């Protein structure tokens, strides 16, 4: 099946620093999704990307859909303590089962105040 | 409005016992999903319900796992004869339709001793 490789696995940064994480796949995805999961909660959708090359921002978050359709990155600028959590990339399976999402293993972000 | 709710939030059981996990989706959402999240892993698709259509059970890991959705609303995931490897967080999500943003519940943390 489709797999998403997410890196880095974890990051420890100081408040105010910028963060970058990425996701790659051996197969093409037509949509890239970035989720954040707070401790004890379910994932929440941050950004959705639908077009190769698309660059989308949501506040301090910026994500891009790679032109090869096999990668995506998420940047967080001027990090704050509440950015702590696990960030997942995800994408729908191809074909008729596109309701199924494949998730990366996540990037655990720790922000030191 | 109310989000997706799941109960119980935590469940500790002994190996060999059966467990039932409940999901209340957002009212009006026709699509419902179950995922499993093992420690340090991404989310693994288990099963998908859409309206009155036959569910997609392709992600269920063994025949000990089953799920129902009654009246197009509440869903129950049942694990029979639990094993230690079943220990994980079980997440439920719902969406307005087959390919819309999935809204996740807080999950049920299952521990099999």
């Amino acid at each position: 099946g489709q797999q998403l490789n997410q890196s880095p696995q974890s990051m420890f940064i100081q408040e105010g620093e910028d963060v970058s994480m990425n996701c790659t796949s051996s197969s093409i995805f037509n949509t890239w999704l970035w989720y954040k999961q707070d401790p004890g909660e379910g994932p929440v959708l941050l950004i959705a990307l639908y077009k190769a090359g698309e660059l989308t921002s949501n506040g301090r978050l910026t994500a891009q859909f790679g032109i090869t359709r096999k990668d995506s990155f998420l940047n967080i600028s001027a990090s704050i303590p509440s950015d702590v959590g696990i960030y997942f990339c995800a994408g729908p399976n191809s074909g008729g089962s596109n309701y199924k999402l494949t998730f990366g293993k996540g990037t655990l972000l720790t922000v030191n105040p | 409005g109310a989000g997706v709710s799941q109960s119980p939030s935590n469940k500790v059981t002994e190996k060999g016992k059966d467990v039932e996990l409940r999901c209340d989706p957002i009212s009006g959402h026709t699509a419902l999903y179950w995922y499993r999240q093992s420690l340090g892993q991404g989310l693994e698709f288990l099963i998908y319900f859409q309206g009155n259509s036959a569910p997609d059970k392709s992600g269920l890991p063994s025949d000990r796992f089953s799920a129902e959705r009654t009246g197009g609303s509440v869903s129950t995931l049942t694990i029979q004869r639990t094993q230690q490897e079943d220990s994980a967080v079980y997440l439920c999500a719902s969406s307005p339709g087959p390919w819309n943003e999935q809204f996740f519940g807080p999950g049920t943390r299952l521990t099999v001793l």
Side-chain angles (χ1 to χ4, degrees), chain B residues 8-21 64-65 77-88 90 108-113:
Chain B
S9 55
N10 281 284
K11 176 71 176 179
V12 180
T13 190
E14 293 179 346
K15 178 181 173 181
K17 301 276 190 179
D18 298 351
V19 296
E20 284 190 353
L21 312 179
R64 296 186 295 105
F65 288 72
L77 177 69
T78 301
I79 309 173
Q80 296 178 309
R81 306 181 301 281
T82 52
Q83 303 294 313
Q84 289 183 330
E85 60 263 28
D86 299 334
S87 296
Y90 290 82
T108 294
R109 180 175 295 279
L110 174 66
T111 303
V112 182
L113 301 177

Side-chain angles (χ1 to χ4, degrees), chain A residues 9 31 33 35 37 40-45 50 86 88 92 97-106, chain B residues 33 35 37 40-45 48 56 58-59 89 91 98-99 101-107 109:
Chain A
Q9 195 171 16
T31 299
L33 308 170
Y35 285 84
Q37 185 176 28
E41 301 292 329
V44 173
L45 183 64
Y50 300 106
I86 305 175
F88 292 100
S97 61
N98 60 356
Y99 46 81
K100 292 185 194 177
L101 293 181
T102 298
F103 283 79
K105 293 186 178 181
Chain B
Y33 315 76
Y35 292 87
Q37 184 177 23
Q41 301 295 314
L43 281 68
E44 172 192 6
F45 168 84
Y48 161 75
D56 179 345
S58 60
V89 175
L91 289 157
W99 180 228
E101 177 182 351
Q102 295 181 25
F103 295 84
F104 285 83
R109 180 175 295 279

Side-chain angles (χ1 to χ4, degrees), chain A residues 18-103:
Chain A
D18 297 344
V19 170
S20 184
M21 58 191 80
N22 66 53
C23 201
T24 60
S25 172
S26 58
S27 55
I28 288 173
F29 278 81
N30 292 316
T31 299
W32 285 92
L33 308 170
W34 285 94
Y35 285 84
K36 182 192 178 199
Q37 185 176 28
D38 290 329
E41 301 292 329
V44 173
L45 183 64
L46 299 174
I47 291 181
L49 302 160
Y50 300 106
K51 187 177 176 182
E54 180 180 355
L55 185 71
T56 297
S57 293
N58 178 6
R60 293 178 296 105
L61 307 178
T62 301
Q64 183 156 30
F65 191 144
I67 56 173
T68 65
R69 293 194 281 162
K70 293 183 177 181
D71 63 327
S72 176
F73 72 74
L74 175 70
N75 286 345
I76 305 173
S77 63
S79 58
I80 59 178
S82 62
D83 290 334
V84 165
I86 305 175
Y87 292 79
F88 292 100
C89 59
N93 285 18
S94 56
S97 61
N98 60 356
Y99 46 81
K100 292 185 194 177
L101 293 181
T102 298
F103 283 79

